[in-house]
Amino acid sequence: MRPPLPGAEAPPHPLRFGYGTNGLADLRLEDAICLLADLGYDGVGLTLDHMHLDPLAPDLAARTRRVAHRLDALGLEVTVETGARYVLDPRRKHGPSLLDADPGGRGRRVDLLLRAVRVAGDLGAHAVHCFSGTVPPGTGRDTAWQRLAASLTPVLDAAATAGVPLAVEPEPGHLLATLADFHHLRLLLGDPQPLGLTLDIGHCQCLEPLPPVDCVRAAAPWLRHVQIEDMRRGVHEHLPFGDGEIDFPPVLAALSATGYQGLTVVELPRHSHAGPHQAELSLPFLRRAAAASVPPGEPSATPEGSTP
């Protein structure tokens, strides 16, 4: 069932915070999961990569079951992310993409997303995240959009079968870079039920015409996954909280007001060298910002039992 249309009233919902494993790349997955549980996070943004639940290694289903049991034992929720830089091609960042001129390359990316959908289903994940990729040299934008739509069609079919939404992320520099681009894809595909949106709050600050708080409100009906970090206008650099320009309490208040029920995942992949430290700092910041967004006498936007 679709969420309320823009403008419809939704009750405030406690926000649940996670941390992305792409920001903990120097840790074993078991160690990363235990760290986040110990710090008090509600969940994990699990990027399938060679060091964290390698989607291409043997016995994926068995390894996924072990991770599922561990997450369940620790009380952690999960979203599956597919932004690993070199998991398919050791020489080309995020290659091959869904837009590659080579059909075989596009097929390898589609296969990765299909594997991610199966993993997400086995983990009970909120969503599978993905992005379009950059337009290859010499490729027209109309052709790129056609390739993207054709590539995502079998993935959306698999997502519908698995009951896990596919949450496409607008990524600066990619074909699908903005919220307007997401709606172009949505209409191109005929507004399929499994298609949703990953909203990166920093990306909103970076290049959207609307401020982040208005982006959250505009995105609400399609919101399936949220990534969060600080950022500056016009500069695509994921920053620790407080190092950029975003005013977080209004953004978190707007997100809570939408009734969003997924994870809000800290996205600091370039700070992986200091991942445990950043994870330790990020959750208290978000809890304080969420608490500051709530008028006196109203329910907190942080989960029940958490301490700002």
Side-chain angles (χ1 to χ4, degrees):
M1 183 176 67
R2 287 275 182 186
L5 294 174
E9 292 295 328
H13 195 278
L15 298 179
R16 295 195 290 272
F17 298 117
Y19 200 93
T21 60
N22 60 358
L24 297 167
D26 294 322
L27 275 65
R28 297 176 183 88
L29 182 57
E30 168 72 13
D31 292 339
I33 290 173
C34 289
L35 170 72
L36 298 180
D38 288 346
L39 290 174
Y41 281 90
D42 303 293
V44 181
L46 175 58
T47 296
L48 303 181
D49 208 344
H50 63 89
M51 80 294 284
H52 292 156
L53 195 56
D54 188 342
L56 304 182
D59 301 321
L60 178 58
R63 289 184 288 115
T64 301
R65 284 194 295 273
R66 290 195 290 272
V67 173
H69 292 153
R70 195 69 181 122
L71 291 170
D72 185 63
L74 293 170
L76 293 173
E77 302 173 33
V78 64
T79 300
V80 172
E81 302 194 1
T82 61
R85 292 185 178 98
Y86 296 102
V87 69
L88 292 179
D89 188 332
R91 298 172 182 264
R92 186 163 53 126
K93 181 182 176 182
H94 297 317
S97 80
L98 298 172
L99 311 180
D100 268 27
D102 174 22
R106 296 199 300 273
R108 290 176 62 205
R109 179 61 60 173
V110 169
D111 178 68
L112 175 67
L113 295 182
L114 292 173
R115 290 169 182 253
V117 169
R118 290 195 293 271
V119 168
D122 290 343
L123 292 178
H126 289 293
V128 173
H129 148 279
C130 71
F131 43 59
S132 68
T134 59
V135 179
T139 299
R141 291 184 66 82
D142 287 346
T143 298
W145 281 112
Q146 291 167 8
R147 288 177 186 168
L148 180 60
S151 296
L152 286 180
T153 296
V155 184
L156 288 164
D157 291 342
T161 300
V164 179
L166 185 69
V168 180
E169 178 190 7
E171 180 78 22
H174 284 209
L175 174 68
L176 199 157
T178 65
L179 289 173
D181 293 332
F182 167 76
H183 291 300
H184 179 77
L185 174 67
R186 184 173 62 83
L187 297 178
L188 188 63
L189 287 167
D191 198 17
Q193 180 68 25
L195 180 65
L197 174 70
T198 292
L199 187 70
D200 187 300
I201 301 302
H203 293 174
C204 297
Q205 176 69 22
C206 178
L207 86 168
E208 290 285 352
L210 295 174
V213 66
D214 292 331
C215 288
V216 169
R217 296 179 181 125
W222 301 276
L223 205 54
R224 300 294 180 271
H225 182 43
V226 175
Q227 297 172 342
I228 193 164
E229 70 287 311
D230 218 337
M231 205 169 286
R232 301 186 183 100
R233 184 69 180 170
V235 182
H236 184 202
E237 182 182 3
H238 292 235
L239 299 172
F241 299 112
D243 288 359
E245 301 170 340
I246 298 174
D247 182 14
F248 284 97
V251 172
L252 295 179
L255 184 60
S256 177
T258 69
Y260 171 68
Q261 298 183 28
L263 289 171
T264 300
V265 173
V266 179
E267 184 80 357
L268 291 173
R270 295 188 180 181
H271 291 76
S272 204
H273 64 283
H277 180 61
Q278 291 298 336
E280 185 177 4
L281 294 177
S282 296
L283 184 58
F285 178 94
L286 289 170
R287 286 179 171 170
R288 288 193 300 269
S293 72
V294 180
E298 293 192 10
S300 174
T302 54
E304 293 182 11
S306 63
T307 303

